[in-house]
Amino acid sequence: MRLALIGFGNIATTLLGLLQSTQKFPLENLTIVSSPGREKAIEAEALARFFDIADTLKVVSTTQDLLATRPDLVLECASHTAVKTHGVAVLAQGVDFVLASIGALSDARLELDLIQAAENAKSRLVLPAGAIGGIDLLAALRPAGNLQVTYRGIKPPNAWKGTKAEAQLDLESVQEKTVFFTGTAREAASAFPKNANVAATLALAGAGFDQTRAELVADPNAAGNIHEYSVTSPLAHYTLRVENQPSHGNAKTSVSTVYSLLREITNRIGPLAI
């Protein structure tokens, strides 16, 4: 496989470490897309840490240079901005594009542009389950209509640092579970781009961005990142709760998100997809 990763932060490096330890054979090529000016530094680090992960390794900073490496699959694990910068061009080239920053699709124009590019080029925009489960069942219930979905994201106060939660709470002094946001999944994903990708995933699988309700909570007693949601449908009713451990070095990201991306890769490399 010729794999490309957009980003070289916590998610990307953790993913590469997992690939390095689980894959029997190296990739044909690994391309890492960095921000401009950091290519040499990232290339040096990547070669030092992941020297045996691929037959060849390249670091680029533009969409044009990314596509020139002829990737079979591109994974975005950087930011909403990265989705906007690279997504349409990658899909238009006929290459499948996997999103970690699913909340970027709260921008209705971007969502439409990405889907149209995929349709025209017969590529696929792939949305992994990330830190939540039951997405297969939720998506299966969607055609029946009349879905009601309510999501609650609960994280320790320090996981909300650097977000709009700081304007509403003194995160250092929160003593009890505190709801600081209630609204639609679109509003949550737009206002909290690093923290509300699960809300976006549920919205896209189910009732839609503006029909899915979201609640965000700071809880000093939360051991990790907790995602829970309830579904009411003419076909089924269920509630699901997942208590995730945060990714090492980034309290905002659940480590299961990285494993979800790994699954997208191994399902394409291996003889069995599940």
Side-chain angles (χ1 to χ4, degrees):
M1 170 182 275
R2 301 181 66 83
L3 177 68
L5 295 183
I6 300 175
F8 194 68
N10 176 265
I11 293 177
T13 54
T14 304
L15 176 61
L16 289 174
L18 290 172
L19 273 173
Q20 193 175 39
S21 63
T22 58
Q23 294 307 305
K24 295 180 181 179
F25 304 103
L27 300 168
E28 180 183 346
N29 179 72
L30 171 65
T31 298
I32 298 169
V33 182
S34 76
S35 53
R38 298 198 62 216
E39 298 93 333
K40 290 184 178 180
I42 289 178
E43 183 177 31
E45 181 179 351
L47 287 172
R49 295 176 62 181
F50 309 112
F51 62 92
D52 59 348
I53 201 169
D55 294 334
T56 57
L57 189 153
K58 297 182 179 180
V59 179
V60 301
S61 61
T62 69
T63 309
Q64 182 178 358
D65 288 341
L66 161 63
L67 292 174
T69 67
R70 299 180 291 107
D72 300 312
L73 182 68
V74 176
L75 270 74
E76 173 279 322
C77 40
S79 65
H80 288 200
T81 299
V83 179
K84 295 177 182 179
T85 300
H86 304 287
V88 171
V90 169
L91 290 165
Q93 196 69 21
V95 180
D96 289 355
F97 190 57
V98 181
L99 265 65
S101 303
I102 294 176
L105 302 188
S106 61
D107 180 335
R109 181 71 251 178
L110 177 61
E111 179 188 6
L112 180 60
D113 288 346
L114 290 167
I115 291 173
Q116 286 183 338
E119 286 180 345
N120 292 339
K122 294 182 171 54
S123 53
R124 291 198 310 159
L125 177 64
V126 181
L127 309 182
I132 195 62
I135 295 302
D136 53 347
L137 176 57
L138 179 58
L141 297 175
R142 181 176 57 194
N146 296 319
L147 272 177
Q148 296 179 25
V149 183
T150 301
Y151 162 73
R152 171 180 276 199
I154 305 168
K155 299 184 180 183
N158 70 336
W160 298 108
K161 288 183 177 180
T163 75
K164 292 184 178 180
E166 291 182 316
Q168 301 180 51
L169 300 174
D170 180 358
L171 295 173
E172 297 290 344
S173 61
V174 173
Q175 299 296 315
E176 59 185 16
K177 184 184 296 186
T178 304
V179 178
F180 62 86
F181 172 88
T182 301
T184 67
R186 188 182 303 279
E187 292 166 339
S190 178
F192 298 89
K194 297 288 187 181
N195 295 75
N197 285 308
V198 169
T201 303
L202 294 171
L204 288 159
F209 273 106
D210 299 313
Q211 291 73 38
T212 301
R213 302 301 300 171
E215 187 175 272
L216 303 180
V217 183
D219 183 359
N221 296 314
N225 298 334
I226 300 169
H227 302 287
E228 59 184 31
Y229 68 101
S230 59
V231 176
T232 300
S233 158
L235 304 182
H237 306 271
Y238 71 96
T239 298
L240 190 147
R241 176 185 172 98
V242 180
E243 299 184 10
N244 292 286
Q245 292 301 309
S247 181
H248 179 69
N250 185 355
K252 294 179 174 63
T253 299
S254 300
V255 70
S256 57
T257 297
V258 185
Y259 280 81
S260 180
L261 294 172
L262 176 66
R263 173 177 170 270
E264 293 295 337
I265 298 171
T266 55
N267 272 349
R268 290 167 181 260
I269 293 177
L272 175 67
I274 189 169

